[in-house]
Amino acid sequence: MVKHEQSMAAAGDVVVSGLNVGKTFAAGTVVALENANFDIKRGSFVSLVGPSGCGKSTLLRLVSGLIEPTSGEIEVHGTPVNGPRADISMMFQKATLLDWRTSLENVLLPTEINGTPSKADKNRALDLLKLVGLEDFAFSFPAQLSGGMQQRVALARLLQTGADILLLDEPFGALDEFTREHLNTELMRIVAEVRATAIFVTHNITEAIFLADQVVVMTSRPGRMAKIINVDLERPRPLSIQTSVEFNKLVEDVRETLGAV
Amino acid sequence: MSVSDQPIPLSGRILDIGVRFLPHFVLFAVIIGAWEISVATGLITSIIIPRPSAIWSAIVELYITEGTIYRHFFITLTEAVVGFAIGAGVAVSLAIASSLWDPFRRYVTPYAVVLNVTPGIALTPVIIAWFGYGMGSKIALAAIISFFPIFVNTLTGLVQVDEDREELFNSLGASNVQVFRKLRAPAALPLMFAGFKIGLTTALIGAVVAEFAQATDGVGVLMSRFSFQLNMAASLATLLSMTVIGLILFYSMEFLDDRIVFWRRESRRAAASRARARTWAAQAKK
């Protein structure tokens, strides 16, 4: 990811790009995001980190097509975003599973919305549940699962869409520290395995750096991209990397950027 | 394996049930005994309240030796069920239409409210004038007074918005029809069934009240006939049949509720979960 200066979508490797993207609410009185320029490369993991009100969730919703920018333009795979699309899929802080569906049926929901699921779709859903470590809970209902397990189902559902761009809005934010660390490790493995591009929103600096190839530091009032930091730590990353000198230099860098504004 | 996983021997289970229900039996026996004694000693006039033993003989006569009750029993049961079905059908249709189309809701709601605040059973004379002495008027009244609780509950269930789930459906590109069928309708089911349970009980009230007013058959007409003859024992024995109808209706709905809205109870969830796993295994074999 590089801060945008010249032309948009120059390289074929760029899958998501934004040019002067801005979003205001309440008839222009609240500036949620101002003048955001970005290119996101295929297969990269990008974290958006910042305090609440910095526009990170707004930016994610703009990319997803759930809301429209007030100014500027966002392109995905070279075509402008104007509404939800099949190559983008989003995961939320709440698992938002349907209580009356089993894990398997919940994972199949995106497929059902596009038509009748085939035998292959069903087997794929089961494979994805295996991928997230829930093969023994395929026929359990959400109320029979823990919070962490529910988020794993939501992750499998996200992957079932077949989208190659995954938008993750604090997906494990409501879970306890241990579960979250564990699921973050799992998330890295899974995203690498399916070769997806991921945009991950969080307000946890450690988490943002641990997962990402690039960390976008955002500041609030108005929401703005303050700095983009490249994370050149080798993969796969063990949890212990978080105590390394390089890692802590990055944490310091993020903190300074947040504190400087 | 914990101790509770061990099967308890049958004799133990019978003993367990006996111990659990013994206080209830004792209390019931004391009440009935006191009642019997106070009527027998003349403390209460038997014309006002008959002795429990007299009610028992009336029950035996009505339900066993003569069996007169059954025809009336099934007529009232039919009136309540058919009335409920009509009331529920109209209520659910209007609630769905109201939830989908705002102007419709604005036009329908005032009528529904007026219908609700007007005591439904006050319509009895009018309904009988319109539909006659037969089952028609009873069904109509049952339908009218069961309408409102079902309408309100279904509408409330359908318009409650779970923003996070709606956003999920939007992000998946779901159509309005899909949002309704896969999200709003199933999410409304618990409240809808709460409405059905109230509606079914009120449908029985409607049927019986209309029978009291003017009818040729039904437990209501039987009961008022016995009361006119000052045959209190037979009258109260007939009342028992209304309780039985009420119980049948309530538990039938409870049964359906438990199976259709299975996801609220752990035991039902577990059963549904096993059933889904079996269906999957059967399909996988093909």
Side-chain angles (χ1 to χ4, degrees), chain A residues 61 66 84 92 94 96-100 102 104-105 109-110 112-113 119 122 126 139 141 143-144 157 161, chain B residues 164-165 167-172 174 178 182-183 186-187 262-263 266 269-270 272-273 276-277 280 283-284:
Chain A
R61 279 172 170 71
L66 281 171
F92 308 89
K94 284 190 191 161
T96 61
L97 302 178
L98 304 180
D99 301 330
W100 48 90
T102 61
L104 185 64
E105 290 162 349
L109 181 70
E112 272 180 42
I113 282 170
K119 183 96 188 177
K122 288 178 183 171
L126 208 57
F139 302 103
F141 290 93
Q144 298 171 305
R157 180 179 63 193
T161 60
Chain B
D164 298 317
R165 290 192 175 122
E167 188 166 45
L168 166 77
F169 273 73
N170 289 339
S171 78
L172 292 171
Q178 285 172 326
K182 292 182 193 294
L183 178 61
F262 62 83
W263 58 90
E266 178 50 41
R269 275 199 299 267
S273 176
R276 305 282 167 107
W280 175 269
Q283 277 174 353

Side-chain angles (χ1 to χ4, degrees), chain B residues 16 32 36 53 91 161 180 197 243:
Chain B
D16 201 40
I32 296 293
E36 183 81 35
S53 54
V161 179
F180 182 84
K197 278 186 215 166
T243 309

Side-chain angles (χ1 to χ4, degrees), chain A residues 167-184:
Chain A
L167 309 179
L168 306 136
D169 192 358
E170 299 189 47
F172 311 131
L175 305 175
D176 65 83
E177 188 71 25
F178 298 106
T179 313
R180 186 165 65 185
E181 275 191 345
H182 180 62
L183 285 179
N184 277 337

Side-chain angles (χ1 to χ4, degrees), chain A residues 8 40 48 52 65 69 76 78 100 103 118 125 157 220 236 252 257 260:
Chain A
M8 202 177 189
I40 296 174
L48 307 180
S52 45
V76 169
W100 48 90
S103 304
S118 67
R157 180 179 63 193
S220 54
E252 219 165 285
T257 312

